[in-house]
Amino acid sequence: MNQPSSAPTVERVDARHRYEIKVDGERAGLTAYRDRGDQRVFFHTEIDDAHAGQGLAGQLVQQALTDVRALGKRIVPVCPYVAKFLLKHEEFADITDPVTPDVLKWLEAELG
């Protein structure tokens, strides 16, 4: 059996507005955000096909949301994966804000 040589790591890449999950030093996926005041609006999560089905998206989002809490920010789950994750992880409910038309309009303008 070939064991992965190291546990996946998650890092925040502020310059690119995203958190990346790395497996053996290679980027395996990301969750992208934009900041709106004290809200961190997550709008896209993806895991590369080569790493699908390994639970990486869950690890990535868990660590990203934990970081949001540590920064004293709030979560706005525009991304369907993040929204689904939050339904199962009520420990983040206290820092989650609803997705509103205002947020969606703002995000559209941000992303151009």
Side-chain angles (χ1 to χ4, degrees):
M1 276 174 56
N2 60 359
Q3 290 290 329
S5 54
S6 63
T9 58
V10 173
E11 63 187 52
R12 188 174 75 232
V13 185
D14 287 325
R16 298 194 142 171
H17 305 286
R18 66 193 191 193
Y19 293 83
E20 297 181 351
I21 189 163
K22 296 192 170 165
V23 176
D24 297 331
E26 297 288 309
R27 194 184 84 212
L30 61 93
T31 187
Y33 65 84
R34 287 290 188 277
D35 285 339
R36 180 180 190 248
D38 69 346
Q39 294 178 320
R40 183 150 282 183
V41 182
F42 286 90
F43 63 90
H44 178 71
T45 302
E46 65 181 57
I47 298 295
D48 297 347
D49 289 344
H51 297 283
Q54 296 172 25
L56 295 180
Q59 289 178 55
L60 170 59
V61 170
Q62 175 92 44
Q63 291 188 48
L65 300 184
T66 299
D67 185 62
V68 172
R69 181 185 295 284
L71 293 168
K73 292 183 173 290
R74 300 187 62 77
I75 300 159
V76 184
V78 174
C79 167
Y81 183 85
V82 174
K84 195 170 83 179
F85 181 92
L86 286 165
L87 291 176
K88 293 184 191 144
H89 294 81
E90 293 182 359
E91 67 269 27
F92 295 107
D94 61 315
I95 59 163
T96 300
D97 288 341
V99 176
T100 62
D102 277 355
V103 167
L104 294 175
K105 191 183 296 181
W106 170 86
L107 183 63
E108 199 176 321
E110 272 292 290
L111 300 177

